[in-house]
Amino acid sequence: MTDWKTKLTSDPTILFGKLVVNGTRIPVDLILEKLASNFSFQELLDAYPRLTAEDIQACLSYASENAKHERTLAVG
């Protein structure tokens, strides 16, 4: 699994501190939203040339790690 901490960063001077892919202004939540909307890795790579497959995997690793610690109320 990709260590997201080496690929993603947060800086208060970039997008108000949103988590982004290192060296870009591409926010992690945008990548996750696109994946949830059935964008493929290749479509993301084509749309964002500075992005790598490892960057996308880091976004997924970040989401996975955070979901493990999330507490939600039961729905329904």
Side-chain angles (χ1 to χ4, degrees), residues 29-66:
D29 65 319
L30 174 71
I31 299 303
L32 295 172
E33 182 179 314
K34 297 285 188 186
L35 290 169
S37 298
N38 291 323
F39 273 65
S40 69
F41 271 40
Q42 191 57 55
E43 288 172 316
L44 285 169
L45 295 172
D46 291 343
Y48 304 96
R50 295 188 62 196
L51 203 59
T52 67
E54 287 180 348
D55 295 332
I56 298 169
Q57 189 61 50
C59 294
L60 290 171
S61 294
Y62 167 79
S64 173
E65 185 173 315
N66 281 280

